[in-house]
């Protein structure tokens, strides 16, 4: 009996000391105008308070959150010290809230619901994507990718505000800083901190004007090397070369003429003797618009692997996962 009495006395003393400390802290905060330091507060007490305000019975509230009746009584004592208010008092019908308790009963569920959603959210449905997406893509790949991607997203994500496409040379830094959501293109190295997913594999093809003199000759590597080539410039001001699209080294007799746009290069090739080497899907798109022939090169360049690329900062983000899934589904459909 003496042992139990000492325990009860100690518990009461601890509660009073805690209540005095919280009252002092609260008064100090009121005097200085500072916010209460949340690190000094056990936020589990708010879970107990929510149950107490809902059930208004210490035993039932404890059962709801898996605590014993003594533990809930101790929690109520600490809560009274924290808020400097009785919060719940006894009446003829059980516990009833004080005005402060009623005020907390109105605000606490919403606050805890927000915290629970922040901690437990694991998935986001498409309608929750609330902003525009930014895609980095090479100029020539945009011709092959966007005609298929845009209708897909318009049907599956009509809420998506915009899909801004930026030059691929901004991909590395933009993905890391969050200015770019995804990049689509060719990458032949694994950059630390970046993820990639294969979308499809393409082959290279040549674009020549319909009456190009080379078409009347034997189509050999030597003859091919003597032709004047057009190429798309991909020099990076940030020297992030590995993430760029690159065409195979053809060892041509003369340096290629560089163009910043694949369409500009194609228009010039349709009126000159230039030959333009691009992925076959791009060549097919361009030849449908300009008087150009699509011809297989007289060599076998390495396959052109088109990848979806993103930075690890967004790897586990539910919204970003959804966007990656939709872009990949659009571009993998009908892939070679």
């Amino acid at each position: 009996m003496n042992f139990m009495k000492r325990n009860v006395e100690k518990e009461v003393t601890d509660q009073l000391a805690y209540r005095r400390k919280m009252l002092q802290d609260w008064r100090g905060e009121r005097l200085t105008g500072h916010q209460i330091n949340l690190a000094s507060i056990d936020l589990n007490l708010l879970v107990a308070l929510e149950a107490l305000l809902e059930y208004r019975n210490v035993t039932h509230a404890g059962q709801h959150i898996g605590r014993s009746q003594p533990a809930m009584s101790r929690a109520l004592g600490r809560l009274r010290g924290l808020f400097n208010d009785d919060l719940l008092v006894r009446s003829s019908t059980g516990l009833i809230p004080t005005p402060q308790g009623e005020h907390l009963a109105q605000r606490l569920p919403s606050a805890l619901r927000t915290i629970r959603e922040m901690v437990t959210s694991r998935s986001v449905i498409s309608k929750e994507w609330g902003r525009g997406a930014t895609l980095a893509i090479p100029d020539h790949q945009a011709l092959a990718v966007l005609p298929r991607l845009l209708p897909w997203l318009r049907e599956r994500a009509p809420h998506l505000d915009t899909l801004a496409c930026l030059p691929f040379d901004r991909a590395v830094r933009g993905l890391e800083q969050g200015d770019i959501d995804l990049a689509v293109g060719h990458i032949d190295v694994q950059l630390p901190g970046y993820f990639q997913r294969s979308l499809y594999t393409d082959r290279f093809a040549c674009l020549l004007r319909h009456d190009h003199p080379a078409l009347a000759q034997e189509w050999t590597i030597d003859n091919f090397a003597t032709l004047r080539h057009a190429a798309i410039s991909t020099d990076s001001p940030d020297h992030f070369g590995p993430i760029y699209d690159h065409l195979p080294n053809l060892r041509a007799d003369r340096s290629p003429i560089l163009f910043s746009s694949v369409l500009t290069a194609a228009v010039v090739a349709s009126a000159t003797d230039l030959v333009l080497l691009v992925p076959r899907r791009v060549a097919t798109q361009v030849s449908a618009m300009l008087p150009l022939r699509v011809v297989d090169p007289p060599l076998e360049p390495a396959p052109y692997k088109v990848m979806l690329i993103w930075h690890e900062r967004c790897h586990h983000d539910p919204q970003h996962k959804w966007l990656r899934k939709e872009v990949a589904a659009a571009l993998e459909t009908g892939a070679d």
Side-chain angles (χ1 to χ4, degrees):
M1 292 295 292
N2 290 336
F3 175 77
M4 293 179 62
K5 181 178 180 181
R6 285 197 299 271
N7 280 347
V8 172
E9 290 176 347
K10 184 178 183 305
E11 182 177 319
V12 171
T13 301
D14 289 345
Q15 290 183 11
L16 290 174
Y18 181 83
R19 185 166 183 173
R20 282 195 298 270
K21 181 181 182 304
M22 295 308 302
L23 179 58
Q24 291 170 357
D25 290 344
W26 178 78
R27 286 173 175 170
E29 299 293 347
R30 290 292 301 272
L31 290 174
T32 60
H34 294 162
Q35 293 183 348
I36 293 177
N37 181 12
L38 289 178
S40 66
I41 300 173
D42 182 2
L43 296 183
N44 287 320
L45 290 174
L46 299 182
V47 177
L49 178 58
E50 181 186 39
L52 287 166
L53 291 171
E54 179 180 357
Y55 289 93
R56 303 184 183 185
N57 180 288
V58 174
T59 301
H60 294 165
Q63 292 173 346
H64 178 69
I65 63 174
R67 290 190 182 184
S68 66
Q69 188 272 339
M72 289 299 289
S73 294
R74 290 193 295 271
L76 179 56
R78 295 177 63 189
L79 285 163
R80 285 167 171 168
L82 175 63
F83 289 100
N84 191 35
D85 188 89
D86 287 329
L87 300 179
L88 290 156
V89 296
R90 296 188 181 279
S91 72
S92 59
T93 59
L95 294 177
I96 58 173
T98 64
Q100 172 74 329
E102 291 178 344
H103 177 69
L104 291 172
Q106 295 175 359
R107 301 183 61 183
L108 187 58
S110 176
L112 291 180
R113 183 167 56 251
T114 299
I115 294 175
R116 291 185 180 107
E117 290 174 354
M118 290 171 57
V119 174
T120 62
S121 177
R122 292 292 181 271
S123 62
V124 176
I125 58 176
S126 62
K127 69 179 182 181
E128 293 185 31
W129 183 272
R131 60 184 178 86
T134 302
L135 182 74
I137 186 170
D139 171 67
H140 63 275
Q141 276 297 304
L143 293 174
V145 166
L146 294 185
R148 189 163 55 209
L149 178 60
L150 293 181
W152 177 280
L153 291 179
R154 185 169 59 246
E155 178 182 350
R156 300 294 296 273
H159 53 278
L160 189 63
D161 295 334
T162 58
L163 182 69
C165 297
L166 301 178
F168 202 45
D169 60 3
R170 295 170 55 180
V172 171
R173 182 164 299 180
L175 289 169
E176 182 180 52
Q177 295 180 349
D179 298 326
I180 296 172
D181 294 298
L182 291 168
V184 174
H186 178 78
I187 180 172
D188 56 2
V189 296
Q190 178 63 57
L191 299 177
Y194 293 81
F195 291 87
Q196 54 181 306
R197 171 178 177 172
S198 178
L199 295 175
Y200 61 87
T201 300
D202 205 349
R203 296 178 294 123
F204 283 99
C206 299
L207 285 172
L208 303 88
R209 62 184 174 91
H210 281 283
D211 55 349
H212 197 290
L215 296 175
Q217 302 175 3
E218 186 178 3
W219 193 238
T220 64
I221 294 178
D222 291 338
N223 289 341
F224 187 67
T226 63
L227 300 176
R228 192 67 187 272
H229 292 268
I232 310 304
S233 175
T234 57
D235 292 336
S236 169
D238 295 323
H239 306 292
F240 287 116
I243 203 170
Y244 281 99
D245 292 334
H246 68 282
L247 300 181
N249 183 3
L250 300 176
R251 299 179 182 177
D253 292 345
R254 292 180 291 177
S255 298
I257 298 177
L258 298 179
F259 294 86
S260 62
S261 164
V262 66
L263 282 179
T264 301
V267 169
V268 174
S270 69
T272 66
D273 288 342
L274 288 177
V275 57
L276 177 62
L277 189 70
V278 292
R280 176 166 283 275
R281 290 191 179 197
V282 180
T284 301
Q285 289 285 111
V286 172
S287 65
M289 298 182 287
L290 295 170
L292 291 165
R293 283 187 58 180
V294 179
V295 182
D296 289 331
L299 71 166
E300 191 67 31
Y304 184 83
K305 296 181 180 179
V306 178
M307 315 295 293
L308 184 64
I309 308 160
W310 63 95
H311 192 265
E312 64 180 350
R313 66 186 297 274
C314 298
H315 185 61
H316 296 291
D317 180 72
Q319 288 185 328
H320 202 273
K321 285 182 179 180
W322 172 83
L323 183 63
R324 295 197 303 264
K325 177 183 176 182
E326 291 300 322
V327 171
L331 300 186
E332 288 173 346
T333 302
D336 295 339

